[in-house]
């Protein structure tokens, strides 16, 4: 096989062909919940969107107590909610969502 070519697995082939559905990023699978229990040390305190559970913060994306938040109805990673805001997906601490 040519070294510049790589074999694709079935999932990749299906996605390229347009047959795969991406239920994790389908906003129809998200529900609205409410942000709570954010401790306000100062005006910048908020629930932050992270790249992975307990991982690095996605700057400029956050919620205050009482704000609505869209989270996936079933998908979780290490217990963290998979959330969406302004075209970005990431993870939020489930202790701050009800």
């Amino acid at each position: 096989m040519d070294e510049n070519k790589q074999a694709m697995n079935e999932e990749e082939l299906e996605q390229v062909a347009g047959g795969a559905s991406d239920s994790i990023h389908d906003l129809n699978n998200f529900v609205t919940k409410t942000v709570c229990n954010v401790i306000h040390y100062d005006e910048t305190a908020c629930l932050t969107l992270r790249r992975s559970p307990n991982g690095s913060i996605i700057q400029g994306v956050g919620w205050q107590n009482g704000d609505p938040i869209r989270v996936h109805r079933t998908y979780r990673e290490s217990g963290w909610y998979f959330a969406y805001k302004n075209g970005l997906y990431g993870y939020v601490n489930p202790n701050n969502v009800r």
Side-chain angles (χ1 to χ4, degrees):
M1 175 161 39
D2 183 335
E3 64 185 66
N4 293 325
K5 295 181 182 177
Q6 295 179 344
M8 297 178 85
N9 66 32
E10 283 185 40
E11 184 177 319
E12 291 169 325
L13 286 171
E14 192 172 328
Q15 199 135 27
V16 168
S21 66
D22 183 2
S23 65
I24 294 173
H25 294 93
D26 183 346
L27 292 178
N28 290 319
N29 291 322
F30 284 68
V31 295
T32 302
K33 295 192 175 252
T34 304
V35 174
C36 62
N37 303 323
V38 175
I39 299 172
H40 287 275
Y41 297 108
D42 62 29
E43 67 280 351
T44 64
C46 65
L47 175 61
T48 55
L49 189 65
R50 295 175 180 265
R51 298 187 192 289
S52 61
N54 210 26
S56 61
I57 293 171
I58 298 173
Q59 295 296 321
V61 184
W63 298 263
Q64 299 289 328
N65 285 328
D67 285 350
I69 183 172
R70 294 181 79 181
V71 297
H72 198 281
R73 72 178 74 235
T74 59
Y75 182 74
R76 309 278 184 276
E77 192 169 315
S78 299
W80 284 56
Y81 283 119
F82 189 64
Y84 170 86
K85 186 173 184 180
N86 299 337
L88 298 171
Y89 295 88
Y91 297 88
V92 294
N93 187 327
N95 296 324
N96 297 103
V97 178
R98 66 175 159 163

